[in-house]
């Protein structure tokens, strides 16, 4: 329980951080530091239990259906990392209060730092693979924002850091998925202890590679190391916390966590030891080369992470103990050094060793603290870094392999350590030694240097009292190797090989430091022909170019260019399917009747005609014909609901299309002969393909089980006898809800057009009508329909309501009823003199929204019986008659309103502006029945597009 | 057989129109493709039983057509109408329904 409370408290503090900042300004770090300390103590509270090998666990079912839990677990390894995160976090928060300036706002940084701490804590506590992955990614995201927060110059480094670590995150995701599928559980502790890794060596190797890839990117191992020095664009507290003490250790944590399974494997050892030592040496060489103190520390971090990786790779209990100890030592001295470099930067105005000199005279305390941390870095007694370095040497010398290999690895380690020693002293000497230039500098205020002092002193005290850590390190060995081992933690272990190696390191390091001038010159001349950043950038832009190349064919404004590949790919698929061949069942008898051929004949003629015609109005008529024929087909197949729907849709489509056509030329745009021929060929192929596929895959089986279910259960389960309607509003109401949501979106989208885009001016407005056109006297010509409309529309509306009510038991229902009602509205609309006056008030969006709300509300009623959209039905004795009722009728009312909303929205769109055109073109006479046209003849064609359009209009009108 | 031919005819017409210039013809092509899809859906239910699925009006449940594809098709028809309205509304705005530059 304490685990989830601590985690929750951190998240809450993150949310509260901007609030603190508002009242306290930069001092918001103080309350946060206190919170971190309190939470750290809370985590440490169960330490005695944890160190007695009784981990604390918390489990809360998160996604029970796939057995993923919000499971946390605190064992020795997690405890070490948790204490580091909260302890160093507290120091960093305190440090922030003085590092940040007065004026600017820091709420975001405080929020992100706290959020990062929460993610990192979650990462090391997670006992579920999915949870582990989520927290892993969260730390990457926090790191991205924290780096990017440092200003424009940090944008690219932030991007690179994110891409590299997120790439590793994908590797982790792959490993997590593979493990979850293979093990059947996502519980980390269970997988580690019970999964049979030996069963499938190939599988184990793949998982191993993915995990190692993830860890290497996160912990900046070669060749992914470049992002870490790059990330130094972030502010110093961020660098100290994320990119030295905690986040970059996440990879090490992951490796240690999975160490029990892989430690014995040769691949694991070779990969980790090889890469780790290479990173340690290269990082140290690069660090020695730097003049910028922060860059020096960044490469130093890379190098130290290499040591840690190599130690985990060795995999002996003593190596893992050394890794744990060095993780702690490194976090302490590296955080200290970063904080001190930040202080120097702030006070002296530079981090470049060539511009800093003799600071020890003016800042003796800072110099001393730096010296203490550098001692730990270089491995000089009595610092903790000395003990951990001894342990590292011992682990290398005792490498579980041929003896010469152990000595070779030990020699490489000594070499890297000598370099470390040299750059540690270079840092110390560069900043503080020499003659004092800036004599007026003073020590920073005590709150500024206290956090660094605490960490520096702790690094020494823990070195002297290193035996107090024995229990923890022992437990970590148990957690990472599942076997016990005695870490032998003592400051003075007696004379041994590692002590001789330490002495050698100091001597060689001092020599290298003394020879710093020639060494520096030599190093500066050596340059790699490429840098990690430039390689990354080249790959990155190559990927972007590749994406552009892939997407290029779709980057056309002409819709037919977009359609063509889709059609061709479908054709290719059909061709492959044909070539491949599929075993087919024999066709069921009786699927074709003689009268069907009549439908085929009429439809084929109409389709041929619509493809051939150049007249828009003819195309609209033919479209109506096709729709009617299809409706006939539906009726013949025993689908009266469909036939009704199709017929009504045809009316409305024609109404909307006619309104649109009044704004468009009478003729279609001409296509070239090539285009006509090519598209005809493709169309015929597509048609043939569709025929073959439809013939192959339909009519080859008996009635489906689900059909029989619906037919037998419909009345019993829903009280309705029109099975199609009960499927729509009862059985599959959630489907229908999705579909009417699409319709509501259409209604809103079309309504948005009305507001936002100009319509084409109608033909009347352009005064391009030929003499004697019926539209000229629109008002007169609409007299008949208007008069009938007045009588008919109420009847139509009443009929539509009747259809709505009876839909459950007979053809009808929300869709059909709304289409009937919509047809009535269309009639009113087309007949009325000034459509947009009257209809501007028709609330299409309101109708659609209300419909959706009603449908959802009907669904919520169902929740009372345990399931969204579950209908209730029952009978009521009313005045002697039995009245059946069901809540799905309410749902159907929602459907009704939405469909009405779509229709109204379409009418408004296409009709708006028509009457205005009448008023404009006809000398302002609107309310009277007579509209006189202005005497102006059609304007002469002006050439170009307008003239082009006009030719087609006249072609159609005369 | 006839259902397959109907679908093929509709697909041919639809594809031809979709590949033409001008948004209105494309919209009509989409409508034809919608018809084709609906015809195939119904054919998937089997066409040898052709009584309407109205339980209280048919003699034997065995003779009723499959109601499930009908339910799919019903909403599909209305959705196609929504798409049509959207395309036609687009065609009626801006500078006409021509989808390609005329030079």
């Amino acid at each position: 329980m304490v685990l989830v409370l601590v985690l929750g408290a951190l998240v809450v503090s993150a949310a509260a951080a901007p609030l603190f900042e508002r009242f306290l300004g930069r001092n918001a770090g103080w309350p946060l530091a206190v919170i971190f300390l309190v939470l750290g103590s809370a985590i440490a509270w169960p330490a005695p239990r944890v160190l007695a090998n009784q981990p604390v666990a918390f489990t809360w079912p998160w996604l029970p259906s796939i057995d993923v839990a919000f499971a946390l677990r605190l064992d020795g390894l997690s405890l070490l990392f948790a204490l580091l995160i909260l302890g160093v976090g507290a120091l960093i928060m305190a440090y922030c209060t003085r590092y940040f300036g007065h004026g600017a706002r820091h709420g975001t940084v405080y929020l992100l730092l706290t959020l990062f701490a929460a993610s990192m804590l979650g990462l090391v506590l997670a006992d579920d693979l999915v949870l582990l992955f989520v927290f892993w990614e969260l730390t990457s995201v926090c790191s991205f924002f924290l780096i990017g927060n440092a200003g424009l110059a940090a944008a690219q480094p932030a991007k690179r850091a994110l891409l590299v670590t997120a790439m590793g995150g994908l590797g982790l995701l792959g490993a997590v998925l593979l493990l979850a599928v293979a093990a059947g559980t996502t519980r980390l502790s269970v997988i580690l202890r019970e999964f049979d890794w030996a069963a499938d060596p190939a599988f184990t190797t793949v998982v191993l590679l993915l995990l190692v890839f993830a860890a290497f990117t996160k912990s900046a191992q070669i060749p992914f190391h470049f992002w870490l020095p790059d990330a130094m664009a972030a502010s110093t507290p961020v660098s100290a916390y994320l990119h030295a003490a905690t986040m970059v250790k996440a990879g090490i944590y992951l490796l240690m966590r999975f160490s029990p399974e892989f430690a014995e494997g040769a691949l694991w050892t070779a990969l980790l030891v090889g890469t780790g030592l290479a990173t340690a040496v290269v990082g140290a060489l690069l660090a020695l080369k730097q003049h910028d103190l922060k860059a020096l520390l960044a490469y130093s971090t890379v190098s130290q992470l290499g040591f840690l990786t190599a130690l985990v790779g060795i995999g002996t209990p003593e190596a893992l103990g050394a890794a744990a100890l060095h993780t702690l030592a490194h976090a302490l001295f590296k955080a200290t050094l970063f904080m001190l470099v930040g202080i120097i930067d702030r006070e002296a105005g530079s981090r470049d060793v060539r511009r800093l000199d003799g600071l020890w005279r003016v800042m003796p305390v800072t110099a001393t603290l730096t010296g203490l941390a550098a001692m730990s870095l270089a491995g000089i007694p009595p610092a903790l870094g000395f003990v951990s370095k001894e342990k590292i040497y011992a682990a290398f010398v005792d490498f579980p392999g041929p003896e010469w290999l152990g000595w070779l690895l030990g020699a490489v380690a000594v070499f890297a350590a000598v370099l470390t020693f040299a750059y540690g002293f270079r840092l110390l000497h560069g900043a503080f030694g020499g003659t004092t230039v800036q004599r007026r500098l003073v020590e920073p205020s005590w709150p500024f240097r206290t956090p660094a002092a605490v960490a520096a002193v702790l690094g020494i005290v823990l070195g002297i009292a290193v035996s107090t850590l024995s229990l923890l390190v022992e437990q970590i060995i148990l957690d990472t190797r599942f076997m016990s081992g005695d870490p032998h933690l003592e400051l003075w272990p007696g004379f041994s090989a590692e002590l001789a190696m330490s002495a050698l390191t100091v001597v060689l390091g001092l020599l290298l430091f003394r020879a710093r001038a020639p060494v520096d010159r030599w190093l500066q001349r050596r340059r790699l022909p490429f840098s990690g950043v430039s390689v990354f950038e080249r790959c990155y832009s190559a990927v972007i170019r590749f994406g552009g190349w892939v997407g290029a064919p779709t980057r056309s404004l002409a819709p037919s260019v977009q359609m063509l590949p889709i059609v061709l790919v479908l054709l290719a698929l059909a061709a492959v399917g044909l070539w491949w061949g599929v075993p087919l069942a024999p066709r069921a008898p009786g699927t074709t009747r003689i009268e069907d051929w009549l439908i085929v004949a009429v439809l084929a003629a109409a389709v041929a005609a619509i493809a051939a015609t150049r007249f828009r109005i003819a195309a609209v008529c033919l479209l109506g014909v096709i729709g009617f024929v299809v409706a006939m087909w539906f009726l013949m197949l025993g689908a009266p609901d469909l036939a009704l729907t199709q017929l009504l849709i045809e009316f409305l489509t024609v109404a909307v299309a006619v309104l649109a056509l009044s704004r468009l030329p009478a003729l279609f745009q001409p296509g070239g002969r090539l285009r006509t021929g090519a598209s005809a060929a493709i169309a015929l192929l597509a048609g043939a393909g569709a025929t073959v596929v439809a013939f192959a895959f339909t009519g080859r089986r008996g009635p489906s089980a689900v059909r029989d279910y619906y037919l037998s259960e419909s009345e019993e389960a829903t009280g309705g006898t029109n099975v199609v309607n009960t499927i729509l509003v009862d059985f599959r109401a959630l489907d229908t809800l999705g579909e009417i949501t699409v319709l509501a979106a259409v209604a809103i989208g079309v309504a948005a057009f009305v507001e936002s885009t100009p319509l084409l001016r109608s033909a009347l407005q352009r005064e391009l009508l030929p003499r004697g056109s019926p539209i000229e006297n629109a008002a007169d010509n609409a007299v008949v329909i208007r008069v009938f409309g007045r009588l008919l529309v109420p009847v139509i509306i009443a009929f539509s309501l009747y259809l709505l009510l009876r839909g459950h038991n007979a053809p009808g229902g929300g869709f059909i009823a709304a289409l009937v009602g919509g047809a009535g509205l269309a009639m009113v609309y087309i007949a009325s003199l000034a459509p947009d006056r009257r209809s501007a008030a028709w609330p299409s969006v309101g109708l659609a929204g209300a419909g959706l709300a009603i449908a959802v509300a009907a669904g919520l009623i169902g929740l009372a019986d345990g399931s969204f959209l579950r209908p209730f039905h029952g009978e009521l004795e009313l005045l002697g008659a039995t009245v059946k009722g069901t809540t799905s009728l309410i749902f159907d009312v929602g459907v009704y309103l939405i469909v009405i909303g779509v229709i109204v929205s379409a009418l408004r769109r296409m009709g708006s502006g028509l009457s205005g055109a009448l008023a404009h073109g006809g000398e302002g006479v609107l309310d009277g029945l007579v509209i006189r046209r202005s005497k102006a003849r059609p304007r002469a064609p002006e050439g170009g597009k307008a003239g082009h359009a006009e030719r087609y209009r006249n072609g159609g009108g005369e | 057989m006839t259902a397959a031919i109907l679908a093929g005819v509709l697909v041919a017409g639809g594809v031809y129109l979709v590949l033409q210039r001008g948004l209105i013809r494309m919209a009509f092509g989409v409508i034809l493709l919608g018809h084709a899809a609906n015809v195939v859906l119904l054919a998937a239910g089997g066409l040898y039983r052709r009584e309407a699925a109205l339980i209280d009006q048919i003699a034997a449940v065995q003779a009723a057509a499959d109601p499930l594809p009908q339910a799919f098709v019903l909403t599909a028809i209305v959705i196609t109408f929504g798409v049509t309205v959207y395309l036609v509304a687009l065609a009626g705005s801006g500078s006409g329904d021509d989808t390609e530059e005329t030079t």
Side-chain angles (χ1 to χ4, degrees):
Chain A
M1 200 62 195
V2 65
L3 303 179
V4 74
L5 284 180
V6 169
L7 201 54
L10 264 185
V11 174
V12 172
S13 321
L19 211 65
F20 290 153
E21 200 266 351
R22 172 159 296 179
F23 292 112
L24 300 171
R26 63 177 188 169
N27 287 331
W30 292 122
L32 287 171
V34 171
I35 290 173
F36 272 55
L37 278 181
V38 170
L39 296 179
S41 322
I43 281 276
W45 192 254
R49 262 188 66 192
V50 171
L51 296 186
N53 201 19
Q54 290 172 314
V56 180
F58 170 85
T59 310
W60 177 71
W62 177 22
L63 307 168
S65 53
I66 52 168
D67 195 28
V68 170
F70 194 93
L72 304 176
R73 189 165 180 275
L74 183 75
D75 61 1
L77 182 63
S78 301
L79 181 66
L80 169 69
F81 278 92
L83 289 179
L84 274 182
I85 292 160
L86 292 168
V88 177
L91 294 178
I92 295 293
M93 286 298 179
Y95 178 76
C96 280
T97 58
R98 287 299 167 270
Y99 178 83
F100 289 145
H102 264 300
R105 311 290 302 177
H106 309 294
T108 318
V109 181
Y110 278 125
L111 185 153
L112 286 169
L113 277 173
T114 317
L115 201 60
F116 164 77
S119 324
M120 189 70 201
L121 191 65
L123 168 61
V124 300
L125 291 180
D127 190 30
D128 188 285
L129 286 173
V130 175
L131 202 59
L132 176 84
F133 170 73
V134 169
F135 282 123
W136 178 279
E137 292 296 74
L138 271 178
T139 59
S140 292
V141 172
C142 286
S143 153
F144 168 74
F145 282 116
L146 278 167
I147 301 171
N149 200 43
L152 265 185
Q156 292 302 315
K159 177 199 80 184
R160 285 191 284 263
L162 178 70
L163 285 177
V164 172
T165 49
M167 205 161 66
L170 288 179
L172 180 63
L173 179 62
V176 163
L177 289 177
L178 285 176
L179 275 178
V181 170
T185 175
T186 54
R187 195 64 55 83
L188 189 52
S189 47
V190 175
I191 291 178
L192 285 175
R193 290 191 178 269
E194 289 169 19
F195 183 60
D196 181 13
W197 294 86
D200 185 352
F203 172 84
T204 307
T205 307
V206 171
V207 171
L208 183 155
L209 288 175
L210 287 172
L211 286 173
V212 166
F213 173 61
F216 280 9
T217 54
K218 196 83 161 184
S219 288
Q221 297 298 295
I222 284 178
F224 309 110
H225 63 286
F226 61 89
W227 75 262
L228 183 54
D230 204 24
M232 291 301 127
S235 64
T236 299
V238 173
S239 305
Y241 193 30
L242 272 71
H243 305 127
T246 56
M247 189 186 97
V248 289
K249 302 268 173 60
I252 307 295
Y253 169 80
L254 188 72
L255 294 176
M256 289 177 87
R257 186 47 86 201
F258 279 90
S259 154
E261 306 311 328
F262 300 122
E264 308 274 341
L267 178 64
W268 173 267
T269 308
L271 259 179
L272 264 55
V273 174
T275 314
L277 277 182
T279 309
V281 171
V282 172
L285 273 174
L286 288 168
L288 193 54
K289 207 175 130 170
Q290 304 304 318
H291 292 129
D292 180 350
L293 289 179
K294 211 174 161 189
L296 184 153
L297 288 181
Y299 281 109
S300 157
T301 306
V302 171
S303 165
Q304 300 290 319
L305 289 169
F307 267 124
L308 290 173
T309 305
L311 283 173
V312 181
I314 293 174
T316 54
E318 77 179 318
L320 285 159
L325 194 65
H326 196 61
T327 300
L328 175 63
H330 176 250
L332 285 177
F333 69 69
K334 195 51 69 66
T336 313
L337 287 172
F338 264 109
M339 288 194 269
L340 291 168
V341 165
I343 289 176
I344 295 170
D345 192 11
R346 274 272 178 278
E347 300 290 323
S350 173
R351 319 189 288 241
D352 193 321
V353 282
R354 288 166 300 188
R355 300 182 57 192
L356 297 168
D357 254 327
L359 289 181
W360 70 272
R361 278 196 193 81
V362 286
M363 300 163 119
V365 178
T366 308
T368 312
L369 293 176
T370 312
L372 290 181
M375 272 168 71
S376 205
L377 168 71
I380 297 173
L384 185 57
F386 166 71
V387 185
S388 65
K389 188 143 294 176
E390 293 274 284
K391 294 294 158 200
I392 293 175
Y393 285 154
F396 277 114
V397 172
D398 295 343
F399 182 77
E403 201 172 334
W404 62 267
L405 194 57
W407 286 109
L408 178 69
L409 294 176
V412 177
V414 169
F415 178 55
V418 166
L419 295 172
T420 307
F421 187 99
Y423 70 69
F425 271 77
R426 177 192 175 95
L427 187 159
L428 193 61
H429 177 265
F432 297 100
T435 48
T436 309
V437 187
Q438 297 164 289
R439 292 188 169 280
R440 299 170 69 185
L441 290 181
V442 288
E443 283 281 354
S445 63
W446 68 266
F448 200 2
R449 63 183 188 225
T450 301
V454 170
V457 171
L458 208 56
I460 302 296
V461 170
L462 279 179
I464 296 167
V466 72
S467 52
T468 53
L469 296 171
S470 290
L471 264 180
L472 178 63
V473 174
E474 224 179 305
Q475 180 60 36
I476 291 176
I477 292 173
L478 195 59
D479 290 334
T480 53
R481 270 313 255 128
F482 294 167
M483 58 170 82
S484 46
D486 183 2
H488 303 292
L489 292 187
E490 294 156 77
L491 183 58
W492 179 252
F495 291 101
S496 58
E498 52 264 31
L499 189 67
M501 287 160 82
S502 275
L504 185 68
T505 307
V506 173
V507 172
L508 290 178
L510 278 175
L511 285 177
L512 194 60
F513 172 68
R514 273 193 65 85
R516 61 188 172 280
V519 168
D520 194 37
R521 277 199 299 279
W522 185 83
L523 275 175
Q524 296 302 334
R525 280 202 302 275
R526 297 288 174 280
R527 256 175 219 286
L528 281 175
F530 54 87
S531 73
V533 171
S534 68
V535 170
F536 174 87
E537 282 300 330
R538 232 172 288 160
C539 295
Y540 180 72
S541 50
V543 168
I544 300 270
R545 271 201 310 279
F546 178 70
W549 178 76
V550 168
T554 64
R555 222 164 291 133
S556 165
L557 287 177
S560 49
V561 178
Q562 316 254 9
M563 303 302 296
L564 192 60
I566 299 175
V567 175
L568 292 180
V569 166
L570 280 176
L571 269 176
L573 275 179
V576 168
L578 271 182
W579 180 70
W580 211 276
V582 188
L584 293 176
R587 279 186 73 83
T591 52
T592 301
R593 298 183 188 177
I594 192 79
E595 64 268 26
D596 295 354
W597 290 103
L598 189 66
I599 297 283
V600 172
V602 178
L603 191 83
V607 169
I610 198 173
T613 184
R614 292 179 59 209
F615 298 92
R616 285 176 196 273
I617 196 79
V620 172
C621 295
L622 287 164
L623 190 71
V625 170
I626 293 169
F628 279 29
V629 175
V630 172
M632 259 319 268
W633 176 246
F634 291 157
L635 199 59
M636 286 164 60
L637 298 187
D641 280 284
L642 299 193
L644 258 177
T645 313
Q646 189 65 59
L647 280 177
L648 290 162
I649 287 286
E650 285 319 315
F651 289 132
L652 287 168
T653 306
V654 169
V656 171
V658 163
L659 285 172
L661 286 196
S662 72
R663 306 168 185 285
L664 293 169
L667 289 186
F668 286 123
Q669 297 87 354
R673 191 173 295 170
L674 180 69
R675 176 191 198 132
T676 309
S679 45
I682 293 171
L684 286 176
L685 270 177
T691 304
V692 171
V693 171
F695 183 73
F697 291 121
T698 62
R700 291 180 189 274
R701 59 170 172 78
S704 64
V706 65
R707 160 193 179 272
D708 295 343
Y709 170 82
Y710 283 136
L711 286 173
S712 61
E713 296 297 317
S714 169
E715 190 166 12
E716 177 68 22
T718 69
T721 54
N722 181 0
V723 183
V724 176
N725 187 262
T726 60
I727 292 174
L728 284 175
V729 298
D730 296 301
F731 289 114
R732 302 184 59 88
L734 193 61
D735 256 12
T736 310
L737 184 65
E739 281 147 0
I740 57 179
T741 309
V742 173
L743 287 178
V746 168
I748 292 166
V750 174
F753 277 145
V754 179
E755 316 272 318
S756 64
T757 59
L759 275 166
L760 282 178
R761 288 190 308 161
S762 75
L764 266 172
Q765 250 172 324
R766 282 188 267 178
E767 299 183 11
L768 291 171
L769 285 178
R771 285 255 160 219
S773 159
I775 305 177
E776 203 174 1
N777 275 326
D780 282 351
N781 287 322
V783 165
V784 176
I785 195 170
R786 208 159 51 242
V787 172
F788 268 96
R790 245 174 249 149
L791 297 173
L792 266 179
V793 168
V795 178
I796 293 178
I797 301 288
F799 182 58
S800 100
L801 290 175
Y802 166 68
L803 283 174
L804 173 65
L805 289 176
R806 77 166 203 177
H808 219 221
N809 296 314
F815 284 110
I816 292 173
L819 294 172
V820 171
L825 291 178
M827 194 162 155
V828 176
Y829 196 93
I830 292 177
S832 72
L833 239 188
D836 50 357
R837 273 195 192 173
R838 219 181 278 175
S839 64
W842 290 357
S844 60
V845 175
L847 279 171
L852 206 52
I854 288 174
V856 171
L860 292 178
I861 295 175
L863 274 184
D865 195 26
S867 169
F868 186 64
L869 282 170
R870 172 171 295 177
F872 294 108
H873 66 96
E875 293 177 353
L876 221 73
E877 289 291 330
L878 207 68
L879 300 172
T882 315
V883 180
K884 282 195 203 171
T886 163
T887 53
S888 59
L889 182 61
I890 303 176
F891 182 76
D892 227 6
V893 170
V895 174
Y896 181 85
L897 290 179
I898 287 177
V899 177
I900 290 266
V902 173
I903 295 166
V904 166
S905 162
L907 291 173
R908 269 180 65 187
R909 165 61 176 174
M910 299 322 302
S912 63
L914 278 185
S915 69
L918 288 172
H920 184 76
E923 296 181 351
V925 183
L926 185 69
D927 293 324
L929 286 173
V930 183
I931 292 188
R932 266 176 295 150
R933 289 245 300 142
S934 68
K935 295 197 177 65
R937 286 292 301 157
R939 273 188 227 116
E942 287 158 20
K945 202 168 177 174
H948 188 71
E950 192 159 321
R951 269 205 310 286
Y952 290 107
R953 173 183 322 288
N954 291 341
E958 285 171 359
Chain B
M1 185 73 198
T2 38
I5 294 176
L6 278 180
V9 169
L10 286 166
V11 164
V15 167
Y16 178 79
L17 288 179
V18 157
L19 294 179
Q20 296 308 301
R21 204 170 134 186
L23 204 53
I24 287 282
R25 261 195 290 192
M26 295 196 67
F28 289 1
V30 170
I31 294 177
L32 293 197
L33 290 175
H35 285 325
N38 292 342
V39 167
V40 172
L41 265 177
L42 280 188
L47 302 182
Y48 40 89
R49 292 172 302 270
R50 296 192 179 183
E51 291 297 318
L54 303 167
I55 292 176
D56 50 354
Q57 290 177 26
I58 50 173
V61 167
Q62 271 316 311
D66 194 338
L68 185 61
Q70 293 191 14
F72 290 156
V73 170
L74 202 152
T75 45
I77 295 173
V78 183
I79 294 262
T80 310
F81 174 65
V83 174
T84 312
V85 163
Y86 201 83
L87 285 176
V88 170
L90 264 180
S93 64
S95 54
D97 78 326
D98 197 353
T99 51
E100 280 153 50
E101 294 290 324
T102 47
T103 48

